[in-house]
Amino acid sequence: MIMEFAELIKTPRVDGVVLHRPFMPTVEGTLCLTGHHLILSSRQDNTEELWLLHSNIDSIEKRFVGSLGHITVKCKDLRMIQLEITGMEECLNIASSIEALSTLDSVSLMYPFFYRPMFEVIEDGWNSFLPQNAFKDLESMTDEWRLSEVNKDFSLCPSYPPLVAVPKDVDDETLKKVATFRHGGRFPVLSYYHKKNGMVMMRAGQPLTGTNGRRCKEDEKLINATLRPGKRGYIIDTRAINVAQQAKARGGGFELEANYPQWRRIHKAIERYNVLQESLIKLVEACNDQSHSMDRWLSKLEASNWQTNVKEILTTACLAAQCIDREGASVLVHGTEGTDSTLQVTSLAQIILDPGCRTIKGFQSLVEREWLQAGHPFQQRCAQSAFSNSKPRYEAPVFLLFLDCVWQILRQFPCSFEFNESFLVLLFEHAYASQFGTFLGNSAAERARLCLPEKTVSLWSWVNRPQELERLTNPLYEPNSLVIWPSVAPQSLLLWEGVFLRWNRSSKCLDEAYEEMVHIIEYNKELQTKVNSLRRQLAQLETEDPLLHTP
Amino acid sequence: QKYYHYVHLFLQVEQVRLLDRFSNKSIHGTLYLTATHLIFVESNSNNSILHHHIASVEKLSLTTSGCPLVIQCRNFRVVNFVIQRERDCHDVYSSLLRLLRPVCYDELYAFSYNPKQNDQQREEGWQLIDLGAEFERMGVPCDQWQLTDVNRDYKVCETYPRDLYVPVTASKPIIVGSSKFRSKGRFPVLTYFYQEKKAAVCRCSQPLSGFSARCLEDESMLQAISKANHNSRFLYVMDTRPKLNALANRAAGKGYENEDNYSNIRFQFVGIENIHVMRSSLQKLLEVTGTRSLSMSDYLVGLESSGWLRHIKAVVDAAVFLTRAVTVEGASVLVHCSDGWDRTAQVCALGALLMDPYYRTIKGFMVLIEKDWISFGHKFADRCDQLDGDPKEVSPIFTQFLECVWQLTEQFPQAFEFSEWFLLQIHEHVHSCQYGNFLGNNQRQREELQLRERTHSLWAFLMSEKQNHLNPFYSPAYSEAHPVLEPSTLPYHFKFWRSMYHQFDRSMHPRQSILKTILTLKENSRKAESTLQALESVSTLLHIVIFLSFKLEPTESTDTERTVEGSSGTESRKQSYGELEGTYNSDLVKEEPAVVSLEFGVARMTC
């Protein structure tokens, strides 16, 4: 074991520890702490063991009743477990070890760098979704775009990937100038090409107009290059107008009508990341409140604002999709940094518009393009979840909200997605704590620096194996090539129980009903196959039947 | 449903716009008014609204595009028409006002509704549910419980049914004495018998105890109920009202049981609000959910302040309490509220549903409603506003019951034979007055109206379209393993029932329905099974034919060929495959495929 870990583990093993988990039988056994795991084993064959990644632990609480210590472990996946440890010293040692191990600062000490796959990698996930491949698809539809290497050493925009798609007529020199005019160097790049009518969706950081209304001709040229002659486009600013106004004082701002006459700007109010973190904390608090009062539950649910956030994000995504599909206009989406609400909108709009994104592979590709490559700072945002005691700095459930919105659409179109709810829950879990390297780091640049493809295993390598895919496939899936418009009425949006009430209810009945559904579908398929093969056999007999051969 | 073809038309108005309630969409069409329906016809669809479903009509002030008419229905449909000319609008409005408030039962649709059945079919429909048989199923009469004829002529209690079950030891004087001490004469009687523990669920109305009155017969009655169960030394008395309400009733000479006067009872309040609170709660809920461009925050705040889900939870909580007392403690329970026909019906029916898997089947659920609601005198006519009556008597008590059942189906997706469509259909017809079942306030009144002779039964109709109401996930094995349901009543298990309160707002619902998809698949599988069977028999026969023809070939080949041609074997076979294919793919089985192929097989054999 590496020295760093050995120093942190004060007591590696305690016997006679009792584990309590909701809706599961109590287990008594030996608790072991390793560099990356908390393990509880009863040393009996048929009882379940607990293997918990330290990085999944959000916070712990300890209390004593006499010499019996109780440690409550609250996980980032919102699970809560309790450990009963006899002996004050053991308990304190265990608690402080867990605390230290679960708050390691150094990325290179994270489990993915130590994890060796116990499965055969069929397809290396690190190579599954390369930008150049995605661009090949684009090239087959249009020749108006090119792949620029202007950011190949990440110097122009540290949060962008080395390759980005930009209008063909805009050269790299122009891009360099535009980058200085956009927050974080995030110049407008292609996010989505709508094959049906050739309209596009772009994303960027806010323009740095500041208080004196600075302009940048190259920026105007770049985005105008995406408009068809005589056509107008829409700029969707994910901030309320007053928030966007205030941003001017800090050097930011928004596109002025005078300088962008061909664009209509629409402001939508998606909350900033730190507000979203508060929302998550309040929601989870409400879900774990075991008091039996209906009024209290509903008022806490309302006060958390979580469902409001879901509705706002989904509504903005629908608006973007509507501009593209119904209005036949191109769209530019940005907020402040362009790494959070912007990505929620662009990725959800694609789910609505593009049936390809509703397949398992397509969704992985979407997460790869619009979140990982696009520079959503996963490591910062997912460092802590709802139970964190420390004051949040950069933490926020931006990605979880995106997954929640996808789940809402999935609920409304249960036959149009190749994946099921389990896939979304899986992505939530791995974004917060994982043995895989996929969600480590904050940008493509950081991932390259950490040599993740060489040193860690990709989540996609694990997911894209038949046994996993089977578990994550939606049995109801029937490819649907249409644009799917979700309802955003509050009555149509539900609390995502699969995540927020997952550990607070027994899922046995629901799981059994799901199994029954799978059974019904499979039985139907089986029958169809039998009927078809019998038909074929009969047709065969017909040709073989000498009586039927007319001379 | 083209009523307008053969029914006398009162009115016909062209160029009417039907507005979507939540979007700005509208469709143009023609409005027809008949004696029973309001019908809106546009190019490819028509909507018809039964007058009985209309709760209110409102004429708004004239706008540039016409005169708006807003119709609110009891099945939660809200229809916005815009009629071009104000005069037409006024005509529709005033005609509707006249039509939608019947003053006597004879005006109700049930008395003119004719589903083209003969008298015998109708009679059979009414015989579908037999409460005597239901008590027998529970194991009653038995050594402790017997049928009493005390109410044969509705002399003791006119809102109870004729047949009542009481403890063997409760003599007639005790019954009569007890009934005089109970509001509306509704003395304690058996409604459900839990055979496994010999524990009884009884129901009654509040005692006329005032501040100190007592009645020895009533005390003996409760004693008799308690003694009929050897498993428990005491009897639970559940007063389903909030304590404050029960206390207030004492001033009016009513009230609740004093534990000091009754030996071996355990008294318990469970706090379900009265009909007036429930009525205004639903009203608030509908106001909130009917708002256009409703924000999430306003929705959740409105949901909370309406109190609707709190009331639903209170009913389920009470039923859970009842179920635990009976199934776990093995104690008998006497349930009452004020008159014992609203909250008592909710709690007794829901409790029985939790205890007995039979009530979770389609037939069993009909029986349950027939027993605890219809026969024990839930005042459907008053509560559902069937005749122009006192608006203060109207209350969504039965709707709440259906919703409680729905909330349970969400927690136990495999425990119920029926889907929510069944609940919605029942709700529809409780208000439609199309069938006789729910007309009137009690059995006595129904007999006077001669409903069995003059109207049709809803149960027979629902049974005939049973396929549409099945829950594809239902598992009888689940019920066997879990005869008693133990739902969680934590607040987050109670959800807003969109399919009920937004039944007609299509834009709010999932665009693809899992229920519908799975039902279709199951139906397909059923057809595929029979197709497979048919194909297999064809295949067997073909093999025989081929075997025979090989044997016969050398001697009779020419003859055979002729015969085959004569019977046009190839053609007919192709056709029969075609038919099989048809039965597999199309929605309706046109012919018995097995018979077709057998005939074909026989034809081939003769050659």
Side-chain angles (χ1 to χ4, degrees):
Chain A
M1 190 186 293
I2 295 185
M3 271 314 287
E4 281 97 330
F5 297 138
E7 280 165 15
L8 295 173
I9 301 172
K10 291 177 180 157
T11 305
R13 230 190 82 172
V14 186
D15 288 320
V17 174
V18 181
L19 166 71
H20 298 278
R21 285 177 287 186
F23 302 103
M24 287 172 94
T26 302
V27 183
E28 188 182 336
T30 304
L31 178 75
C32 296
L33 292 184
T34 71
H36 293 108
H37 284 98
L38 181 157
I39 304 159
L40 193 125
S41 163
S42 67
R43 308 218 169 153
Q44 275 157 6
D45 287 342
N46 43 16
T47 47
E48 228 187 304
E49 291 188 342
L50 172 76
W51 281 73
L52 190 67
L53 266 179
H54 292 315
S55 58
N56 190 2
I57 297 174
D58 210 24
S59 77
I60 64 165
E61 282 163 21
K62 50 185 186 287
R63 66 190 169 86
F64 289 93
V65 181
S67 67
L68 184 67
H70 295 264
I71 298 180
T72 304
V73 179
K74 298 181 176 179
C75 303
K76 289 178 188 162
D77 61 13
L78 310 182
R79 170 172 32 166
M80 273 197 265
I81 61 171
Q82 291 218 358
L83 300 166
E84 276 172 32
I85 301 170
T86 322
M88 192 175 276
E89 200 192 329
E90 272 91 349
C91 185
L92 285 173
N93 282 346
I94 293 287
S96 66
S97 306
I98 296 175
E99 217 157 338
L101 289 164
S102 60
T103 51
L104 288 178
D105 274 337
S106 167
V107 184
S108 56
L109 289 178
M110 299 294 258
Y111 187 49
F113 290 99
F114 300 82
Y115 171 75
R116 291 293 158 261
M118 306 287 274
F119 58 88
E120 194 197 347
V121 175
I122 300 166
E123 179 191 330
D124 185 355
W126 289 116
N127 301 323
S128 295
F129 307 103
L130 299 174
Q132 45 271 47
N133 294 347
F135 187 71
K136 271 182 201 134
D137 293 342
L138 179 69
E139 269 183 317
S140 70
M141 297 184 278
T142 172
D143 58 358
E144 292 163 4
W145 295 80
R146 69 182 183 94
L147 213 47
S148 165
E149 290 186 3
V150 69
N151 197 42
K152 68 173 182 293
D153 54 0
F154 306 109
S155 58
L156 202 57
C157 172
S159 63
Y160 270 172
L163 294 171
V164 286
V166 293
K168 194 166 220 163
D169 303 334
V170 177
D171 59 21
D172 283 358
E173 285 313 305
T174 310
L175 295 178
K176 282 179 188 161
K177 284 184 187 139
V178 178
T180 62
F181 183 65
R182 290 278 173 178
H183 192 114
R186 293 174 71 92
F187 54 88
V189 294
L190 180 75
S191 161
Y192 171 66
Y193 179 86
H194 196 42
K195 195 176 172 184
K196 196 167 122 191
N197 59 11
M199 293 301 127
V200 297
M201 179 161 58
M202 288 173 295
R203 51 178 159 75
Q206 66 177 339
L208 304 175
T209 54
T211 37
N212 41 19
R214 208 178 128 217
R215 69 186 284 191
C216 170
K217 293 265 191 212
E218 287 79 8
D219 188 74
E220 292 157 25
K221 182 187 163 201
L222 192 162
I223 69 167
N224 287 339
T226 67
L227 292 176
R228 297 277 158 84
K231 281 276 200 177
R232 279 160 63 99
Y234 288 88
I235 294 173
I236 296 179
D237 191 325
T238 61
R239 303 164 295 180
I241 178 76
N242 59 324
V243 178
Q245 293 278 12
Q246 284 158 17
K248 283 186 188 169
R250 289 186 300 273
F254 49 85
E255 296 82 355
L256 290 171
E257 286 83 356
N259 302 339
Y260 299 84
Q262 286 166 280
W263 294 82
R264 205 188 129 198
R265 205 178 64 247
I266 304 173
H267 287 272
K268 296 297 277 183
I270 298 181
E271 290 292 356
R272 270 180 71 71
Y273 61 84
N274 44 346
V275 179
L276 300 180
Q277 181 69 4
E278 276 303 303
S279 173
L280 174 69
I281 291 171
K282 282 187 188 162
L283 174 70
V284 172
E285 213 267 305
C287 292
N288 288 322
D289 179 353
Q290 297 287 311
S291 83
H292 285 253
S293 156
M294 179 61 74
D295 290 1
R296 191 159 148 175
W297 156 247
L298 288 173
S299 86
K300 280 186 157 191
L301 178 64
E302 190 274 321
S304 80
N305 265 329
W306 184 266
Q307 294 298 92
T308 300
N309 290 321
V310 169
K311 182 171 152 62
E312 287 311 314
I313 295 165
L314 212 46
T315 307
T316 311
C318 287
L319 175 73
Q322 205 179 336
C323 291
I324 294 169
D325 189 70
R326 297 250 173 105
E327 304 287 316
S330 284
V331 171
L332 169 68
V333 184
H334 71 74
T336 304
E337 295 88 351
T339 54
D340 295 289
S341 57
T342 304
L343 306 182
Q344 289 172 328
V345 174
T346 56
S347 55
L348 284 168
Q350 292 180 56
I351 297 269
I352 294 166
L353 293 171
D354 181 6
C357 294
R358 299 173 218 143
T359 64
I360 295 185
K361 272 286 188 116
F363 192 73
Q364 293 173 13
S365 166
L366 181 76
V367 169
E368 192 72 38
R369 269 185 291 125
E370 290 299 305
W371 290 89
L372 292 160
Q373 301 283 339
H376 176 66
F378 274 99
Q379 198 165 315
Q380 288 182 346
R381 296 288 180 261
C382 301
Q384 300 265 249
S385 146
F387 298 118
S388 159
N389 296 321
S390 54
K391 197 175 179 301
R393 285 171 301 160
Y394 303 112
E395 291 82 359
V398 177
F399 186 62
L400 175 57
L401 270 163
F402 158 70
L403 294 175
D404 194 330
C405 291
V406 176
W407 179 78
Q408 303 288 350
I409 308 176
L410 170 63
R411 280 290 301 228
Q412 295 188 26
F413 296 88
C415 306
S416 297
F417 288 81
E418 194 190 6
F419 51 84
N420 59 20
E421 180 179 354
S422 302
F423 185 48
L424 299 174
V425 175
L426 178 124
L427 290 177
F428 159 59
E429 289 173 335
H430 283 274
Y432 278 85
S434 177
Q435 64 268 47
F436 304 108
T438 301
F439 292 108
L440 286 185
N442 290 309
S443 62
E446 278 190 40
R447 272 175 221 111
R449 215 162 34 242
L450 291 165
C451 304
L452 292 182
E454 295 78 34
K455 292 184 177 168
T456 71
V457 181
S458 162
L459 172 64
W460 314 132
S461 303
W462 183 67
V463 166
N464 290 325
R465 294 171 310 132
Q467 55 269 56
E468 279 311 310
L469 288 175
E470 195 190 316
R471 191 175 71 82
L472 304 172
T473 301
N474 174 11
L476 291 164
Y477 179 54
E478 293 271 348
N480 170 4
S481 62
L482 301 172
V483 175
I484 54 177
W485 299 107
S487 161
V488 294
Q491 295 96 316
S492 306
L493 302 175
L494 308 171
L495 177 69
W496 190 7
E497 296 180 27
V499 164
F500 299 109
L501 299 178
R502 183 180 178 192
W503 312 102
N504 303 355
R505 52 160 200 190
S506 162
S507 63
K508 198 165 159 280
C509 291
L510 303 177
D511 292 346
E512 283 171 2
Y514 184 82
E515 288 303 313
E516 179 62 22
M517 183 178 82
V518 173
H519 171 77
I520 293 169
I521 295 166
E522 273 169 8
Y523 179 62
N524 183 265
K525 277 188 192 144
E526 212 175 283
L527 276 178
Q528 275 186 30
T529 320
K530 272 191 195 159
V531 168
N532 290 340
S533 88
L534 253 181
R535 283 230 174 83
R536 265 198 305 277
Q537 274 180 32
L538 284 174
Q540 188 81 27
L541 278 178
E542 188 178 13
T543 53
E544 282 169 13
D545 186 346
L547 298 178
L548 297 175
H549 291 295
T550 37
Chain B
Q1 285 193 320
K2 297 193 169 177
Y3 304 95
Y4 53 97
H5 281 322
Y6 52 86
V7 173
H8 175 66
L9 267 183
F10 285 166
L11 263 176
Q12 175 175 346
V13 184
E14 310 278 346
Q15 296 223 313
V16 173
R17 277 195 307 142
L18 174 61
L19 307 179
D20 185 279
R21 195 175 159 205
F22 293 104
S23 71
N24 293 320
K25 287 175 200 155
S26 69
I27 45 175
H28 285 264
T30 307
L31 198 63
Y32 299 88
L33 194 67
T34 75
T36 54
H37 289 78
L38 180 69
I39 304 157
F40 179 79
V41 183
E42 52 117 24
S43 53
N44 47 16
S45 76
N46 61 38
N47 290 287
S48 70
I49 300 169
L50 199 56
H51 296 329
H52 295 318
H53 270 143
I54 299 176
S56 73
V57 191
E58 208 183 337
K59 195 165 81 96
L60 305 182
S61 47
L62 191 69
T63 67
T64 45
S65 58
C67 191
L69 191 70
V70 181
I71 297 173
Q72 307 227 19
C73 301
R74 299 182 208 288
N75 52 10
F76 308 115
R77 183 182 205 168
V78 178
V79 186
N80 296 291
F81 289 120
V82 177
I83 299 171
Q84 232 173 22
R85 297 196 317 167
E86 193 179 10
R87 240 197 85 187
D88 287 339
C89 185
H90 185 78
D91 285 350
V92 175
Y93 175 70
S94 52
S95 309
L96 277 177
L97 281 190
R98 213 163 4 95
L99 289 165
L100 66 83
R101 290 253 170 258
V103 286
C104 73
Y105 284 103
D106 287 355
E107 291 176 46
L108 295 179
Y109 186 38
F111 295 102
S112 59
Y113 173 65
N114 180 5
K116 308 218 166 21
Q117 280 184 351
N118 59 36
D119 284 353
Q120 196 200 336
Q121 284 169 312
R122 183 174 61 197
E123 187 48 36
E124 279 169 10
W126 282 109
Q127 283 161 359
L128 190 68
I129 307 292
D130 175 358
L131 289 184
E134 169 56 12
F135 278 94
E136 252 171 66
R137 188 194 66 86
M138 294 179 206
V140 174
C142 61
D143 58 342
Q144 297 294 338
W145 292 89
Q146 67 178 6
L147 179 65
T148 172
D149 60 3
V150 69
N151 204 39
R152 248 317 114 77
D153 306 311
Y154 300 113
K155 287 238 170 79
V156 179
C157 174
E158 55 177 23
T159 58
Y160 266 174
R162 290 177 189 272
D163 291 344
L164 294 165
Y165 296 83
V166 292
V168 173
T169 53
S171 65
K172 239 172 226 179
I174 288 180
I175 295 175
V176 175
S178 168
S179 83
K180 288 189 174 136
F181 188 63
R182 293 276 168 183
S183 183
K184 308 277 193 307
R186 294 171 68 94
F187 61 96
V189 292
L190 182 77
T191 179
Y192 181 68
F193 189 63
Y194 188 66
Q195 240 175 324
E196 203 182 305
K197 299 249 165 105
K198 305 273 181 234
V201 178
C202 297
R203 55 184 290 175
C204 61
S205 59
Q206 64 184 338
L208 304 176
S209 51
F211 290 100
S212 59
R214 54 189 289 190
C215 166
L216 292 178
E217 288 93 338
D218 192 63
E219 290 160 25
S220 311
M221 186 73 193
L222 266 63
Q223 181 85 355
I225 293 172
S226 183
K227 286 273 161 63
N229 177 0
H230 303 304
N231 279 318
S232 176
R233 287 183 299 103
F234 58 86
L235 165 74
Y236 276 108
V237 176
M238 265 176 91
D239 189 327
T240 55
R241 300 169 293 183
K243 188 171 182 183
L244 218 61
N245 300 23
L247 281 171
N249 263 300
R250 291 205 300 189
K254 299 165 188 172
Y256 56 94
E257 291 81 357
N258 183 341
E259 269 180 293
D260 298 338
N261 299 338
Y262 293 84
S263 51
N264 306 324
I265 68 161
R266 282 197 188 175
F267 188 84
Q268 178 83 32
F269 286 112
V270 292
I272 303 173
E273 299 288 349
N274 65 26
I275 57 166
H276 312 294
V277 175
M278 300 307 190
R279 180 181 52 243
S280 68
S281 170
L282 180 61
Q283 216 159 16
K284 278 185 210 151
L285 179 79
L286 295 176
E287 264 166 40
V288 172
T289 57
T291 314
R292 279 182 72 152
S293 323
L294 179 64
S295 79
M296 181 59 81
S297 190
D298 288 345
Y299 167 65
L300 291 173
V301 168
L303 201 56
E304 183 204 331
S305 66
S306 76
W308 184 253
L309 287 177
R310 172 159 45 89
H311 301 314
I312 296 291
K313 176 172 147 53
V315 177
V316 179
D317 270 325
V320 168
F321 178 88
L322 169 66
T323 304
R324 280 199 198 129
V326 172
T327 61
V328 180
E329 294 182 53
S332 292
V333 184
L334 174 65
V335 184
H336 72 72
C337 45
S338 296
D339 289 321
W341 51 42
D342 293 310
R343 293 168 266 206
T344 302
Q346 288 178 328
V347 175
C348 289
L350 205 60
L353 188 87
L354 291 174
M355 287 183 243
D356 194 332
Y358 174 65
Y359 297 129
R360 307 195 286 262
T361 64
I362 286 185
K363 174 83 184 286
F365 193 64
M366 295 174 178
V367 169
L368 185 67
I369 291 174
E370 189 74 32
K371 177 168 70 74
D372 273 309
W373 293 89
I374 297 173
S375 92
F376 276 119
H378 173 68
K379 301 202 289 173
F380 279 105
D382 291 357
R383 298 290 178 260
C384 303
D385 206 12
Q386 286 168 0
L387 298 184
D388 198 12
D390 181 0
K392 285 210 171 67
E393 284 285 310
V394 180
S395 189
I397 302 303
F398 187 71
T399 307
Q400 281 186 322
F401 166 68
L402 293 178
E403 175 166 340
C404 291
V405 176
W406 176 78
Q407 301 282 0
L408 294 174
T409 63
E410 286 285 290
Q411 271 193 54
F412 304 99
Q414 293 195 275
F416 292 81
E417 191 191 6
F418 48 84
S419 69
E420 70 176 348
W421 294 348
F422 185 56
L423 301 174
L424 293 175
Q425 188 75 339
I426 292 174
H427 185 263
E428 179 86 3
H429 286 298
V430 165
H431 293 96
S432 73
C433 302
Q434 185 172 348
Y435 296 91
N437 308 60
F438 299 102
L439 301 193
N441 283 322
N442 52 58
Q443 294 296 60
R444 186 186 169 170
Q445 209 177 8
R446 286 182 196 108
E447 281 171 27
E448 283 167 10
L449 290 168
Q450 294 178 295
L451 293 176
R452 287 174 80 107
E453 291 76 37
R454 300 172 60 204
T455 70
H456 295 265
S457 167
L458 171 66
W459 305 135
F461 163 69
L462 290 180
M463 214 41 132
S464 72
E465 50 166 38
K466 190 178 169 185
Q467 286 300 325
N468 299 339
H469 303 133
L470 290 176
N471 165 19
F473 305 113
Y474 174 59
S475 153
Y478 180 91
S479 288
E480 234 163 79
H482 308 88
V484 178
L485 297 184
E486 295 169 64
S488 161
T489 60
L490 281 168
Y492 47 67
H493 285 291
F494 295 87
K495 287 171 266 182
F496 172 69
W497 192 6
R498 189 179 51 208
S499 313
M500 172 65 94
Y501 306 106
H502 286 297
Q503 215 182 131
F504 295 89
D505 304 313
R506 277 172 61 198
S507 66
M508 275 195 192
H509 297 284
R511 303 305 159 89
Q512 295 165 333
S513 151
I514 296 180
L515 176 61
K516 211 167 172 177
T517 311
I518 296 296
L519 271 179
T520 315
L521 272 184
K522 265 199 138 168
E523 181 64 10
N524 278 349
S525 291
R526 207 178 54 75
K527 285 171 190 162
E529 274 168 359
S530 64
T531 308
L532 202 58
Q533 220 173 11
L535 282 173
E536 267 163 2
S537 53
V538 172
S539 151
T540 316
L541 286 166
L542 261 182
H543 277 99
I544 297 170
V545 170
I546 290 165
F547 175 74
L548 287 176
S549 62
F550 271 121
K551 292 248 166 171
L552 299 173
E553 206 172 17
T555 48
E556 289 181 48
S557 65
T558 49
D559 223 338
T560 315
E561 259 171 33
R562 191 181 50 76
T563 322
V564 169
E565 254 178 32
S567 66
S568 66
T570 325
E571 279 308 307
S572 87
R573 178 157 61 182
K574 284 236 169 86
Q575 219 178 333
S576 65
Y577 284 158
E579 272 166 23
L580 287 178
E581 230 156 69
T583 58
Y584 175 64
N585 291 325
S586 79
D587 287 332
L588 289 163
V589 185
K590 284 167 199 145
E591 271 177 86
E592 275 306 325
V595 177
V596 176
S597 46
L598 265 179
E599 271 172 11
F600 163 69
V602 172
R604 298 276 297 152
M605 292 284 276
T606 51
C607 65

